[in-house]
Amino acid sequence: MTQQQCPYAIDVSGADIHGEATALRARGRAARVELPEGVKAWWVTDQELLKQLLTDPRVSRDTYQHWPAWQNGESGLAQTWSLAMWVSDRNMITAYGPDHRRLRKLVAKAFTARRTTALRSRIEEICADVLDELAALDSQAREVPVDLRKHFAYPVPTHVICRLLGVPDSFRDDLLQVIHTMLATSTSAEDAKANETRLYELFNELVAVKRRSPGEDLTSELIAVRDEDGGVGLAERELVDTVLLMFTAGHETTVNLLDHAVYALLSHPDQLKALQAGEVPWEDAIEEVLRLQAPFANLPMRYAVEDIVLDDLTIARGEPIVVSFAAAGRDPKVHGATADTFDVTRPTRRDHVAFGHGVHHCLGAPLARLEAAIALPALFARFPGLALARPGEEPPPLESFISNGHRELPVLLGP
């Protein structure tokens, strides 16, 4: 077997997501890879192919129906795999066919344009509070580095999603901790299983609390749908996993977007200056960050419902597929020879799949964009002397091949 034929062993620590994407792109539009515990999959790096597969009815995310190795959750792999949480939940993004349409319709009601727009004033209040707290950290000595991921990128979206879902303050830190552990894809199988148990304890408890004391929030609305129709439209597991999905995707993607946006703009002061002068819209910068640094770099898994025969490869029935949003965002066939560089004026900046594509396009994407469009101008207006604490040195990445962000983002707030 040649090196080209040997599966590429994925670095689950996510130490070099983009370097790995480049290496895999060299192997073709889709390459054979090996995940933990010897799981083989197709890794899709080509944006055109990725879009094709995301809209192909022969591709499913339903692990229970379409991954033979899972054996409906009864196989040894299903019981022990360190990445099991990424394929075992039951919500709209893992459902197939009619089940997907049913669940997406329920969640779509929560993310209407009117509801998202109505959140603007609340997001502005949250940003103002977070910036006040950030200023208070270093009001006397502005030359002391501050972790901007921890004190800005993280609190803004977590407060927003907790408000939207009605998460009580007493739950927030524990929920964030179990999600952080789930996103750390180099976690051992034993620790991942223990974290899964704790995660479901917390989310089941949250649903129970909201069932006893409902409010004007999305969790209460989903519970009402579940209880009023006797579970016909939304099973209890689907309810819990839908809340889990909205909480996870509703904060982590935006945290990474803000994190990478600040780093990119501070690394390119001329482009930041153009934004501050109104020469370039902030929305263009946000799209370029999404293209260059997809908040979720790679997402396991999808499955071939039947043999998918393409010009240059065949994905056999039941074979897993991982789509690489990070690789697609830097596809040179779409973005040219400068695909790896940051340019807010790039003509193809909006041509990306950072929030998915087709029927699986993220319903929360408008909310994430709105948060970034409010938070980023507010940050740079409040701290015009903001600078990287270690210019020219990119902070270490998260220990995840799924979530694409920095472990910390040390900055100087400036005078």
Side-chain angles (χ1 to χ4, degrees):
M1 179 176 286
T2 67
Q3 183 179 7
Q4 180 70 12
Q5 293 171 318
C6 289
Y8 182 106
I10 293 297
D11 179 4
V12 292
S13 74
D16 186 11
I17 285 173
H18 295 297
E20 197 162 62
T22 299
L24 287 165
R25 188 183 294 114
R27 291 180 168 224
R29 298 192 299 161
R32 293 292 286 166
V33 303
E34 182 174 319
L35 294 167
E37 283 79 69
V39 172
K40 306 295 193 302
W42 289 98
W43 195 277
V44 182
T45 59
D46 181 272
Q47 179 164 299
E48 181 183 358
L49 178 58
L50 189 151
K51 287 182 175 181
Q52 178 183 336
L53 293 175
L54 289 182
T55 54
D56 192 325
R58 296 173 298 174
V59 176
S60 165
R61 278 209 67 188
D62 191 326
T63 304
Y64 296 86
Q65 285 193 69
H66 298 124
W67 192 20
W70 195 250
Q71 295 179 14
N72 200 35
E74 300 299 325
S75 68
L77 176 69
Q79 300 299 315
T80 62
W81 198 35
S82 59
L83 298 178
M85 269 300 299
W86 289 98
V87 301
S88 64
D89 51 337
R90 295 178 178 271
N91 50 50
M92 68 175 185
I93 68 168
T94 56
Y96 178 70
D99 283 336
H100 172 261
R101 291 189 289 274
R102 170 178 60 86
L103 292 170
R104 187 176 175 91
K105 185 178 180 180
L106 288 172
V107 178
K109 295 176 182 178
F111 289 99
T112 62
R114 178 180 298 178
R115 189 164 204 161
T116 298
T117 302
L119 284 169
R120 174 177 287 275
S121 60
R122 180 56 183 155
I123 296 170
E124 290 172 343
E125 292 172 7
I126 289 171
C127 285
D129 290 343
V130 169
L131 291 175
D132 285 345
E133 293 171 3
L134 182 59
L137 286 176
D138 193 17
S139 59
Q140 300 301 318
R142 288 298 177 89
E143 295 308 313
V144 176
V146 172
D147 182 355
L148 206 67
R149 181 179 174 92
K150 177 180 179 180
H151 294 292
F152 172 73
Y154 201 71
V156 170
T158 53
H159 283 300
V160 171
I161 197 62
C162 285
R163 171 74 176 228
L164 194 62
L165 292 175
V167 176
D169 291 345
S170 58
F171 276 83
R172 185 172 61 235
D173 289 347
D174 287 341
L175 292 181
L176 290 172
Q177 181 56 53
V178 292
I179 297 302
H180 175 76
T181 303
M182 183 182 78
L183 290 164
T185 49
S186 56
T187 301
S188 70
E190 183 180 9
D191 289 344
K193 193 65 179 179
N195 187 67
E196 177 184 349
T197 300
R198 178 58 178 153
L199 182 149
Y200 275 109
E201 287 175 354
L202 286 169
F203 276 93
N204 278 299
E205 186 180 353
L206 171 62
V207 168
V209 167
K210 299 303 295 183
R211 184 171 268 132
R212 292 194 301 268
S213 303
E216 295 183 0
D217 55 71
L218 298 189
T219 305
S220 298
E221 290 180 17
L222 288 169
I223 291 170
V225 169
R226 153 74 179 158
D227 293 351
E228 288 169 6
D229 71 3
V232 175
L234 189 67
E236 188 72 12
R237 173 66 185 271
E238 291 174 333
L239 165 64
V240 173
D241 281 352
T242 297
V243 176
L244 165 62
L245 167 65
M246 291 195 293
F247 183 80
T248 305
H251 81 270
E252 185 71 12
T253 53
T254 312
V255 172
N256 290 339
L257 169 57
L258 295 175
D259 170 1
H260 277 298
V262 173
Y263 178 78
L265 291 170
L266 291 180
S267 300
H268 298 81
D270 289 347
Q271 297 189 51
L272 174 58
K273 184 177 179 180
L275 290 163
Q276 292 174 309
E279 298 168 7
V280 178
W282 281 95
E283 288 75 14
D284 288 356
I286 292 166
E287 295 307 318
E288 177 66 354
V289 173
L290 288 168
R291 179 200 70 81
L292 189 71
Q293 298 285 5
F296 271 14
N298 310 293
L299 195 58
M301 290 200 300
R302 288 167 170 79
Y303 315 95
V305 175
E306 59 185 72
D307 289 356
I308 302 174
V309 181
L310 303 170
D311 292 339
D312 50 346
L313 57 96
T314 296
I315 303 175
R317 177 181 176 275
E319 288 188 328
I321 303 166
V322 177
V323 292
S324 179
F325 300 117
R330 299 187 179 203
D331 189 339
K333 293 194 295 295
V334 179
H335 305 288
T338 63
D340 288 328
T341 63
F342 179 71
D343 179 3
V344 296
T345 65
R346 181 185 301 277
T348 58
R349 61 189 172 274
R350 297 181 184 276
D351 192 357
H352 62 76
V353 288
F355 285 122
H357 181 68
V359 297
H360 288 287
H361 186 270
C362 177
L363 287 169
L367 177 59
R369 287 183 167 103
L370 177 62
E371 290 180 60
I374 292 172
L376 291 171
L379 171 70
F380 287 104
R382 183 68 175 271
F383 301 103
L386 194 67
L388 294 172
R390 297 190 290 269
E393 177 185 334
E394 182 158 3
L398 294 173
E399 294 181 355
S400 176
F401 75 90
I402 296 174
S403 185
N404 177 27
H406 298 113
R407 278 180 252 173
E408 61 176 6
L409 183 57
V411 301
L412 301 173
L413 296 180

